[in-house]
Amino acid sequence: MSGIAPPPAVRWLIGVVVGLVFAVPFVATFLFTLSSPDGSAPTFERWLSVFDPANASRYAPIWTGLGNSLILAGVTVLIVLFLFTPTMVLVALKFPKLRRGFEFLALLPITIPAIVLVVGLAPIYLQIGRTLGTGAWTLAFAYGILVLPFTYRSIQASIDAVDVKILAEAARTLGAGWFTVLARVIAPNLRQGLLAASLISVAVVLGEFTIASLLNRQVLQTGLVVINRQDAYAAAIFTLLALAFAFVLLLIIGRAGRVGGSVSPRTASPRRTLRRSRS
């Protein structure tokens, strides 16, 4: 691998170039929020006004949309982890011939424009509204479809990296039930892929606008549009805060993956799983 990888100087150069590409827009936006109307020295007045309780009602769409987006992100991640992932494992274990068809269905949403998805989802959401209400959390059903192409690649890469069939058969031979096999043997080996899929799901939910807008739901992005019409500086501030939140979330999930990965071999051992199930 050392002969294939570029030398350290080239890696540093690539890192600096990519860092500048990402940093320049953020720095420019930050400087924009500090600009004063009369062109004098930069000021943090607008940043302080955002967190001023007296302006809470003015920025209510942002806080409401942020709360709805966080709930949506949590529900979407649950759909990915507890519905989509077991289905992928089942296909890998029991129905390997269906993998190509399942992959085609999972990747199909990325080829369909969001506005076309809304046209198809609108009648469904009429029934959902009558049954479950019109809360913003119901968008998780649409977002669960929207994130499938991205989460599929992350999880499938982890499934291909380990032999889930041998792990499952060994655990079953040692007396573990199917739930134990999935939760304590296979899932720890897919930790990196599951964390990556969760992060991608959160990023997609926090950045999605078209479906939420056309289905008339209030989320972070629709709140930013509303605030931008009133105060472009405040919208830029909230955008920077949202990006900072996503960056911190990335660090937390990455740290959790490294910590979990150090103990996953013991956790994933079929014999250890059998001992736990017996105890």
Side-chain angles (χ1 to χ4, degrees):
M1 292 298 294
S2 60
I4 299 177
V10 176
R11 293 200 297 267
W12 273 102
L13 179 61
I14 294 174
V16 170
V17 172
V18 173
L20 288 175
V21 170
F22 282 96
V24 169
F26 297 155
V27 173
T29 304
F30 178 70
L31 294 177
F32 170 73
T33 62
L34 299 182
S35 60
S36 56
D38 56 0
S40 59
T43 175
F44 283 91
E45 212 176 298
R46 295 188 181 92
W47 285 82
L48 297 176
S49 65
V50 165
F51 299 99
D52 189 350
N55 298 325
S57 59
R58 181 182 178 185
Y59 302 128
I62 284 288
W63 302 120
T64 303
L66 177 60
N68 291 337
S69 291
L70 293 177
I71 294 174
L72 276 169
V75 178
T76 304
V77 169
L78 291 178
I79 291 175
V80 170
L81 295 181
F82 294 101
L83 180 62
F84 190 48
T85 302
T87 303
M88 293 183 64
V89 173
L90 180 64
V91 170
L93 291 177
K94 296 293 185 180
F95 309 103
K97 293 183 179 180
L98 298 180
R99 174 176 172 176
R100 291 187 179 273
F102 184 77
E103 181 178 2
F104 173 78
L105 292 177
L107 300 180
L108 189 61
I110 201 174
T111 65
I112 303 175
I115 191 170
V116 178
L117 283 175
V118 172
V119 172
L121 290 171
I124 298 176
Y125 267 88
L126 287 176
Q127 299 300 323
I128 291 177
R130 295 169 185 168
T131 306
L132 301 177
T134 58
W137 70 270
T138 56
L139 278 180
F141 302 121
Y143 287 171
I145 298 173
L146 195 64
V147 302
L148 284 185
F150 311 103
T151 57
Y152 176 84
R153 286 302 185 188
S154 300
I155 300 173
Q156 189 61 49
S158 294
I159 292 177
D160 293 338
V162 297
D163 197 331
V164 294
K165 191 170 184 179
I166 290 180
L167 286 175
E169 290 177 352
R172 291 287 292 169
T173 301
L174 293 172
W178 279 114
F179 178 80
T180 303
V181 171
L182 181 62
R184 296 189 176 183
V185 177
I186 296 179
N189 285 276
L190 307 182
R191 183 184 297 273
Q192 294 292 337
L194 296 179
L195 288 172
S198 301
L199 176 62
I200 292 173
S201 300
V202 173
V204 170
V205 170
L206 292 181
E208 205 286 322
F209 170 77
T210 305
I211 294 178
S213 177
L214 294 178
L215 291 179
N216 198 26
R217 301 298 197 276
Q218 189 171 4
V219 295
L220 176 61
Q221 295 300 321
T222 58
L224 284 174
V225 171
V226 172
I227 295 300
N228 186 60
R229 294 172 181 171
Q230 304 173 3
D231 186 352
Y233 294 100
I237 291 173
F238 281 112
T239 300
L240 290 175
L241 293 175
L243 291 172
F245 171 77
F247 179 73
V248 172
L249 183 65
L250 172 63
L251 293 179
I252 293 174
I253 293 180
R255 177 63 179 171
R258 288 193 296 270
V259 172
S262 62
V263 297
S264 60
R266 293 185 64 197
T267 306
S269 171
R271 188 173 298 277
R272 183 179 179 85
T273 299
L274 177 61
R275 290 173 181 171
R276 286 188 176 182
S277 62
R278 286 178 175 175
S279 60

